[in-house]
Amino acid sequence: MARVETSSSRPYHLVIFGASGFTGQFVVEEVARTVSEGPNGNLKWAVAGRSKQKLETILEQAAGVLGKPELRTEVDIIVADVGAPDTLAAMCKQAVIVLNCVGPYRFYGEPVVKACVENGAHHMDICGEPQFLEGMDLKYSSEAAAKGLYIIGSCGFDSIPADMGVIYTRDQFKGTLTAVESFLTVGAGPEGASIHDGTWQSAIYGFADGHKLQSLRRKMNLKPLPTVGSKLKRRGNLFYSNEIQQYTVPFMGSDPSVVKRSQRFLVEDHQATPVQYGAYAGIGGIGNIVKLMFAGMMFWFLVKFNFGRNLLMKNPEFFSFGLFTKAGPSRKQMEASSFQFALYGEGYTEGQDPTKGKPNSKIRTLVQGPECGYVATPIAMVQAALTILNEAKDLPKTGGVYTPGAAFAKTTLIDRLNKHGIQFSVI
């Protein structure tokens, strides 16, 4: 069983690394809200980052937002920098779990994973970059397993709603689930939606480095998962979805990669039937199609060249029609935003042979919640961390590099999320 206790030399259940970053500040607030859910009702935590002054400012801000003045004095500060391995090692030695909020992870993630593995801390991130996630799996899984450490990626909006949504749909299906398609829709208030440009930067480098991901996957040399039931047909690059009543495109994030890795683990370690998966996102009406086509063509052209990438990085608002901004969303925008993640599954009823004939039963489930990037993501990350601390016996038997679905399939994470505003239901 994973070691999750604090000690005199390892005093903190959680250390939030990158606490003064845009997403990190909201993770700080979410941890502060949930301290009573820690082991024995007392979560011990600290914040970490490069600047002591900025971390003090974030704690001051959280104290004001939450009406908890004690945050100013009771939360310890650790100065640590990705570029200074000794400081990372010192931080990791003090933590049971490091919540890593420093991206883009392709540039800044590996030193933190390495420090955690070498110094006995579990590691969680909110990464949506398949190249980083799969690279860490290839490089650190064996060492993490040998030390009983859990390195769990994608514990934010990418990809807990998708990955745990497929697990939930499978568990609710009466029979053998063989395929799921998900459709993401996002709602915004009168002031619209906005995303901090850190996500924009990750997307730019993700598309530019697509060939490296393919090379990495060849190195892993994994056998294709068996197809059970009818083969799930890939939809077009743009289509009208009757499921969500709007125009739809393939979801460009890490969800398909993460879900596939979870299914591989469940097949290999639990002899489960693999679930095929397709992920899509609604974009609305004709006006949004025109914007998307224009922005997409510019993006695809510019991302291939250094000068183009620099242009995209410097002008996120222009090239994304205001969706990505250097300031990120306001709290008012976040309060008025929400997401819905509809999952449409098919399979075979109990007693039917899933290797013969077409699926004869369907299911629809829904994952819905608040603004996805900076409200739902901190909730998902913190509840996943609390699940490790409180339910270590229900995690996989050995440590390693895991997806959320692989790590938390046997836990009560979904119940925890339901209590915190990310709702899973059959519709």
Side-chain angles (χ1 to χ4, degrees):
M1 192 170 84
R3 180 195 46 74
V4 294
E5 300 83 18
T6 55
S7 64
S8 57
S9 61
R10 197 178 293 272
Y12 308 114
H13 290 112
L14 304 179
V15 171
I16 305 166
F17 181 55
S20 58
F22 191 81
T23 306
Q25 65 183 314
F26 299 110
V27 175
V28 168
E29 291 175 18
E30 189 59 29
V31 169
R33 287 188 191 99
T34 55
V35 287
S36 64
E37 297 175 37
N40 301 312
N42 181 25
L43 186 70
K44 299 171 184 174
W45 63 291
V47 295
R50 289 183 297 176
S51 167
K52 186 173 187 286
Q53 184 177 1
K54 286 183 179 179
L55 293 167
E56 287 172 344
T57 301
I58 287 299
L59 291 174
E60 180 81 27
Q61 175 184 296
V65 169
L66 301 175
K68 292 189 170 189
E70 66 274 13
L71 295 178
R72 299 183 181 99
T73 55
E74 291 183 3
V75 179
D76 290 340
I77 290 173
I78 300 169
V79 176
D81 187 342
V82 164
D86 289 351
T87 66
L88 291 182
M91 174 186 74
C92 293
K93 285 174 182 173
Q94 298 178 72
V96 175
I97 307 173
V98 171
L99 304 187
N100 184 6
C101 302
V102 179
Y105 290 91
R106 70 183 61 247
F107 299 128
Y108 307 119
E110 184 173 352
V112 188
V113 172
K114 184 173 187 287
C116 283
V117 172
E118 289 179 351
N119 295 284
H122 308 294
H123 175 279
M124 301 181 72
D125 63 53
I126 44 177
C127 179
E129 305 165 42
Q131 184 183 333
F132 170 77
L133 295 163
E134 296 180 35
M136 295 304 95
D137 193 351
L138 179 65
K139 197 163 183 179
Y140 292 99
S141 199
S142 295
E143 190 178 351
K147 294 185 175 182
L149 298 172
Y150 293 90
I151 311 299
I152 308 174
S154 312
C155 289
F157 184 77
D158 280 11
S159 292
I160 277 183
D163 205 15
M164 298 307 295
V166 171
I167 299 288
Y168 175 82
T169 304
R170 180 202 67 181
D171 290 347
Q172 298 301 309
F173 189 77
K174 292 179 171 57
T176 303
L177 185 72
T178 57
V180 169
E181 288 182 312
S182 68
F183 297 85
L184 169 65
T185 52
V186 175
E191 296 189 15
S194 175
I195 304 172
H196 188 260
D197 80 329
T199 303
W200 176 252
Q201 292 176 38
S202 295
I204 291 168
Y205 288 111
F207 281 103
D209 287 347
H211 62 286
K212 293 182 181 177
L213 177 58
Q214 297 308 316
S215 173
L216 172 65
R217 286 174 173 169
R218 283 193 291 272
K219 285 181 187 174
M220 296 181 84
N221 196 28
L222 299 171
K223 294 179 181 177
L225 283 172
T227 300
V228 179
S230 299
K231 186 174 177 59
L232 187 61
K233 292 179 181 175
R234 192 179 186 280
R235 311 247 193 156
N237 289 329
L238 174 66
F239 62 96
Y240 186 82
S241 165
N242 291 319
E243 291 87 354
I244 56 174
Q245 300 290 298
Q246 60 180 272
Y247 287 98
T248 306
V249 296
F251 181 71
M252 303 304 287
S254 60
D255 291 354
S257 160
V258 171
V259 170
K260 190 170 185 178
R261 288 172 59 216
S262 290
Q263 293 304 310
R264 181 176 298 282
F265 170 79
L266 294 170
V267 168
E268 293 176 352
D269 282 56
H270 295 283
Q271 292 72 55
T273 300
V275 178
Q276 303 170 72
Y277 178 64
Y280 303 95
I283 58 169
I286 298 294
N288 286 345
I289 291 175
V290 174
K291 286 182 182 179
L292 182 70
M293 289 179 69
F294 177 78
M297 285 188 291
M298 292 293 291
F299 189 93
W300 278 107
F301 173 73
L302 291 171
V303 82
K304 296 175 183 178
F305 310 100
N306 276 330
F307 82 89
R309 289 193 289 275
N310 288 333
L311 265 180
L312 290 168
M313 299 276 269
K314 289 176 181 175
N315 304 282
E317 291 185 55
F318 176 78
F319 288 108
S320 68
F321 289 94
L323 180 60
F324 292 93
T325 67
K326 291 187 179 295
S330 66
R331 287 186 184 262
K332 198 169 181 182
Q333 283 179 309
M334 288 189 281
E335 286 167 5
S337 297
S338 61
F339 77 88
Q340 286 200 334
F341 212 90
L343 298 105
Y344 290 74
E346 65 178 24
Y348 298 77
T349 52
E350 292 170 351
Q352 295 292 313
D353 186 346
T355 63
K356 296 178 181 177
K358 293 183 177 180
N360 67 342
S361 184
K362 295 186 177 183
I363 184 173
R364 289 192 302 159
T365 62
L366 185 67
V367 185
Q368 56 189 330
E371 188 278 334
C372 47
Y374 314 104
V375 183
T377 284
I379 290 170
M381 185 186 215
V382 173
Q383 288 305 313
L386 289 167
T387 302
I388 292 178
L389 294 172
N390 289 299
E391 303 180 43
K393 68 182 190 311
D394 296 319
L395 298 175
K397 290 178 182 176
T398 60
V401 177
Y402 288 103
T403 57
F408 300 118
K410 305 294 185 184
T411 72
T412 67
L413 175 58
I414 288 172
D415 294 335
R416 291 174 181 273
L417 294 171
N418 279 332
K419 292 173 184 173
H420 286 268
I422 300 177
Q423 302 289 326
F424 292 69
S425 59
V426 177
I427 55 175

